[in-house]
Amino acid sequence: MKIIAFVGMPASGKSEAARIAAEMGIPVIIMGDVIRKEVLRRGLEPNDSNTGMVATQLRKCEGMDAVAVRCISQIKDAGSDLIVVDGVRGIAEVECFRREFGEGFVLISIYAPIEVRFSRVQKRGRSDDMNSIEGLRNRDERELGWGMGKAIEASNIEIENNSTLETFKKDVIEVLSNYLGKNLTE
């Protein structure tokens, strides 16, 4: 089994890369859905403040790898030799996945400058998005506090996402294609 996880700062392109993977027929597990589900379970409005608060509380109460731990059963139940995980947020999650899946775990970081990321945030319109570049900086700091910087440094591959969507899509397909059709038990 090969697990390919995307890591990167907010709005760097992780979800877009996961969407491309899904278009290629690769099952996708979205780590942020664990948090969004918990926000709704608690009866909270799914905005950036509540989502961040719940994510921080989960990590404080259950450990910094709490979201990864909650995703492992979904990954195993997916029934595929190749799975993409969208949204690693910290080094503890990387370590959790590496303990569980060993060399079958590949981490891909996606990089985009903050100005590019903020313009994307303004266009995508998710309920948990920020409405100012300062809000994005605050979210960056929150996620860096979870070990995001160390997770990015631990990546096996980096994809730059500071050009067109077409260029990014080509780059993602090129990287993911390296894992399709191989003997994934190696």
Side-chain angles (χ1 to χ4, degrees):
M1 176 182 278
K2 186 68 79 176
I3 311 303
I4 300 172
F6 294 119
V7 64
M9 299 306 292
S12 59
K14 299 177 299 293
S15 295
E16 185 62 31
R19 189 187 62 72
I20 294 164
E23 287 176 359
M24 295 172 70
I26 303 169
V28 175
I29 305 295
I30 301 168
M31 294 183 76
D33 285 352
V34 170
I35 305 298
R36 286 184 275 278
K37 182 178 176 182
E38 183 66 19
V39 167
L40 295 175
R41 189 190 71 74
R42 293 181 184 192
L44 301 171
E45 183 182 337
N47 58 35
D48 181 53
S49 177
N50 289 336
T51 302
M53 175 194 65
V54 168
T56 299
Q57 285 177 352
L58 277 180
R59 288 174 172 94
K60 184 176 180 183
C61 295
E62 297 177 23
M64 294 303 284
D65 62 354
V67 180
V69 168
R70 289 180 179 210
C71 288
I72 288 172
S73 62
Q74 293 177 52
I75 292 167
K76 290 181 175 180
D77 293 345
S80 178
D81 288 335
L82 177 62
I83 296 169
V84 162
V85 175
D86 171 14
V88 167
R89 291 289 192 274
I91 192 66
E93 294 171 347
V94 172
E95 291 165 352
C96 175
F97 286 137
R98 286 194 171 143
R99 273 192 312 273
E100 188 68 32
F101 301 108
E103 295 201 11
F105 178 75
V106 176
L107 186 62
I108 300 173
S109 66
I110 300 176
Y111 170 77
I114 192 166
E115 298 80 11
V116 171
R117 293 187 293 119
F118 183 64
S119 78
R120 291 179 184 149
V121 164
Q122 291 179 303
K123 292 176 188 164
R124 71 184 185 182
R126 277 193 349 208
S127 65
D128 62 340
D129 273 336
M130 301 65 53
N131 56 14
S132 70
I133 199 159
E134 190 58 38
L136 180 55
R137 282 190 185 98
N138 290 339
R139 183 153 165 197
D140 283 358
E141 288 303 314
R142 180 174 71 214
E143 295 191 12
L144 287 167
W146 297 335
M148 173 78 80
K150 289 181 179 172
I152 291 169
E153 288 173 16
S155 67
N156 304 91
I157 301 165
E158 179 180 278
I159 299 173
E160 285 197 26
N161 185 14
N162 56 8
S163 185
T164 65
L165 179 57
E166 294 75 26
T167 299
F168 181 62
K169 184 173 183 176
K170 179 183 74 64
D171 292 345
V172 171
I173 289 170
E174 181 180 322
V175 169
L176 292 178
S177 292
N178 290 325
Y179 299 99
L180 286 172
K182 288 185 174 182
N183 181 351
L184 299 174
T185 58
E186 292 179 353

